[in-house]
């Protein structure tokens, strides 16, 4: 990562380079899972909690689980926490003069990108953020590995968008993350080839989710193939946690329309665990609920 951007991320967040121990909060896709694996390799931090969005699609519930051995302060991974430490790639600032979580390691935050500049937001994955932040290998990587890393969370889409917006993608990938090799890889391949990579590793649309049942995680991601390609050039190993998770909290998964009058997430609730502006006119958030529901039996 270019030094000036890394310096800005470090302001008030020296913990990202420190030696303190933390636990990780895993979410429900490969962007979070591989990001957790990177943090395990680089920092030695383990997954101690899990946040599964739309756990019960019929009732719009999000499930937050915790292992019985969790002992550390938690860091959200690909999770835009309202408060607390996290790594994420989301947009959370509503107004140009608004605020967002100061403990979020998020390039949109330090660049002052808010809803009114939505089209300029960081449009890459949390994996690429961490790959750059912790100076993981970028030279002489196989095209297969670079394509997989770019395919996660659809990061390649910005390269194949309207020509007038391609500079935004290049800015983040090359000028900020300092990953020109990845940009050259995109130039060598077509959009369809990246879609085939997504299918190969089972992370294409409708697939690639991590699920929670009776307290244990499972996934349809082809983790074996992911580890095969990672093993060519890195020591990173992706592993789904085998520990059981007990219920920590249940959240209602909410989606609300927003406009120029919306100044902060508190307009909708004072008890929001995480949220993200998923487009210029919509915010999605997880609001804590206390009432009993059947989902609690499944997380216990």
């Amino acid at each position: 990562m270019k030094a000036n951007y890394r310096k800005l991320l470090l302001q008030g967040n020296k913990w990202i380079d420190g030696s303190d121990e933390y636990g990780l909060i895993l979410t429900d896709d490969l962007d979070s899972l591989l990001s957790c694996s990177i943090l395990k390799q680089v920092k030695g931090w383990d997954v101690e909690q899990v946040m599964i969005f739309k756990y019960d699609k019929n009732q719009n519930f999000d499930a937050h689980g915790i292992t019985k051995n969790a002992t550390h302060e938690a860091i959200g991974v690909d999770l835009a926490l309202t408060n607390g430490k996290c790594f994420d790639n989301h947009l959370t600032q509503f107004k140009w003069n608004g605020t967002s979580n100061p403990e979020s390691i998020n390039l949109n935050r330090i660049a002052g990108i808010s809803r009114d500049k939505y089209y300029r937001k960081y449009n890459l994955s949390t994996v690429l953020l961490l790959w750059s932040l912790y100076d993981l290998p970028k030279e002489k990587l196989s095209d297969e590995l670079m394509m997989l890393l770019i395919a996660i969370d659809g990061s390649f889409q910005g390269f194949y968008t309207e020509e007038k917006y391609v500079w935004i993608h290049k800015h983040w990938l090359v000028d900020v993350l300092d990953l020109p090799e990845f940009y050259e890889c995109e130039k060598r391949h077509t959009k369809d080839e990246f879609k085939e990579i997504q299918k190969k590793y089972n992370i294409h649309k409708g697939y690639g989710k991590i699920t929670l049942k009776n307290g244990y995680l499972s996934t349809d991601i082809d983790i074996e193939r992911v580890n095969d390609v990672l093993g060519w050039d890195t020591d990173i190993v992706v592993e789904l946690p085998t520990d059981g998770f007990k219920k920590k909290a249940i959240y209602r998964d909410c989606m609300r329309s927003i406009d120029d009058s919306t100044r902060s997430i508190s307009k909708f609730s004072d008890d929001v665990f995480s949220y993200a502006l998923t487009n210029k006119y919509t915010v999605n958030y997880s609001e804590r609920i206390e009432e009993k529901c059947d989902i609690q039996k499944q997380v216990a």
Side-chain angles (χ1 to χ4, degrees):
M1 182 177 292
K2 293 295 178 68
N4 54 323
Y5 288 95
R6 200 177 198 285
K7 183 178 180 180
L8 287 170
L9 288 174
L10 273 166
Q11 289 181 3
N13 289 297
K14 301 295 185 183
W15 56 270
I16 65 177
D17 281 342
S19 58
D20 291 344
E21 295 184 6
Y22 296 97
L24 304 176
I25 307 175
L26 170 70
T27 62
D28 58 2
D29 61 16
L30 184 58
D31 196 15
S32 183
L33 182 60
L34 180 49
S35 293
C36 286
S37 300
I38 291 170
L39 291 167
K40 170 65 175 176
Q41 173 68 23
V42 175
K43 305 296 294 180
W45 300 335
D46 293 309
V47 172
E48 293 186 352
Q49 300 184 35
V50 65
M51 180 75 169
I52 303 297
F53 297 106
K54 296 290 182 71
Y55 177 90
D56 185 328
K57 294 180 174 58
N58 294 324
Q59 300 184 55
N60 277 348
F61 288 135
D62 300 333
H64 187 185
I66 186 169
T67 64
K68 64 180 180 180
N69 298 317
T71 57
H72 302 102
E73 179 184 351
I75 296 175
V77 182
D78 192 31
L79 179 64
L81 297 176
T82 306
N83 299 288
K85 296 176 176 63
C86 58
F87 297 94
D88 76 280
N89 61 340
H90 303 91
L91 186 66
T92 57
Q93 190 168 321
F94 289 87
K95 304 290 286 185
W96 69 270
N97 58 350
T99 59
S100 55
N101 178 3
E103 291 189 285
S104 173
I105 306 306
N106 181 306
L107 288 167
N108 290 313
R109 177 180 66 82
I110 64 166
I113 305 296
S114 56
R115 174 183 172 272
D116 57 306
K117 295 181 179 178
Y118 188 88
Y119 75 98
R120 296 184 63 177
K121 74 181 183 76
Y122 176 76
N123 55 10
L124 305 169
S125 64
T126 303
V127 161
L128 289 176
L129 168 66
L130 289 171
W131 203 273
S132 173
L133 181 69
Y134 288 115
D135 197 25
L136 296 181
K138 61 181 182 179
E139 297 178 353
K140 299 182 180 179
L141 295 181
S142 67
D143 268 27
E144 181 83 4
L145 177 53
M146 285 191 288
M147 290 181 75
L148 171 60
L149 295 174
I150 300 168
I152 292 171
D153 220 24
S155 293
F156 65 91
Q157 298 284 359
F159 181 80
Y160 299 99
T161 189
E162 295 179 55
E163 186 175 350
K164 63 181 179 179
Y165 295 125
V166 175
W167 72 268
I168 299 170
H169 175 81
K170 184 179 181 182
H171 166 71
W172 291 115
L173 188 58
V174 179
D175 302 332
V176 179
L177 297 187
D178 194 21
L179 296 173
E181 296 85 358
F182 288 62
Y183 187 73
E184 292 301 316
C185 178
E186 289 177 319
K187 290 164 67 175
R188 291 192 294 270
H189 296 281
T190 66
K191 185 175 182 179
D192 285 342
E193 286 175 310
F194 278 100
K195 288 184 175 181
E196 286 302 313
I197 285 287
Q198 289 183 317
K199 290 179 181 178
K200 180 176 180 178
Y201 294 93
N202 219 40
I203 57 172
H204 53 301
K205 186 175 181 180
Y207 296 86
K209 286 298 181 181
I210 297 167
T211 56
L212 180 67
K213 185 174 183 180
N214 297 323
Y216 291 89
L217 297 176
S218 61
T219 186
D220 58 357
I221 300 167
D222 195 332
I223 291 178
E224 184 176 353
R225 273 187 166 173
V226 171
N227 281 327
D228 283 344
V229 70
L230 281 169
W232 295 347
D233 299 299
T234 78
D235 294 324
I236 298 168
V237 177
V238 175
E239 295 179 321
L240 201 64
T242 57
D243 290 341
F245 294 85
K246 61 181 180 180
K247 179 181 72 68
K248 180 175 175 63
I250 301 297
Y251 303 91
R252 180 176 289 109
D253 195 297
C254 304
M255 182 174 70
R256 297 288 184 268
S257 297
I258 56 178
D259 55 29
D260 291 343
S261 67
T262 310
R263 304 193 65 84
S264 75
I265 193 63
S266 61
K267 173 180 178 178
F268 305 103
S269 174
D270 292 326
D271 201 0
V272 173
F273 180 67
S274 64
Y275 73 97
L277 279 66
T278 50
N279 63 54
K280 191 172 182 179
Y281 302 100
T282 306
V283 62
N284 286 70
Y285 61 93
S286 297
E287 177 185 27
R288 186 186 297 272
I289 57 176
E290 300 298 336
E291 61 263 30
K292 300 295 183 181
C293 52
D294 291 341
I295 188 174
Q296 296 187 7
K297 299 177 183 178
Q298 299 300 315
V299 185

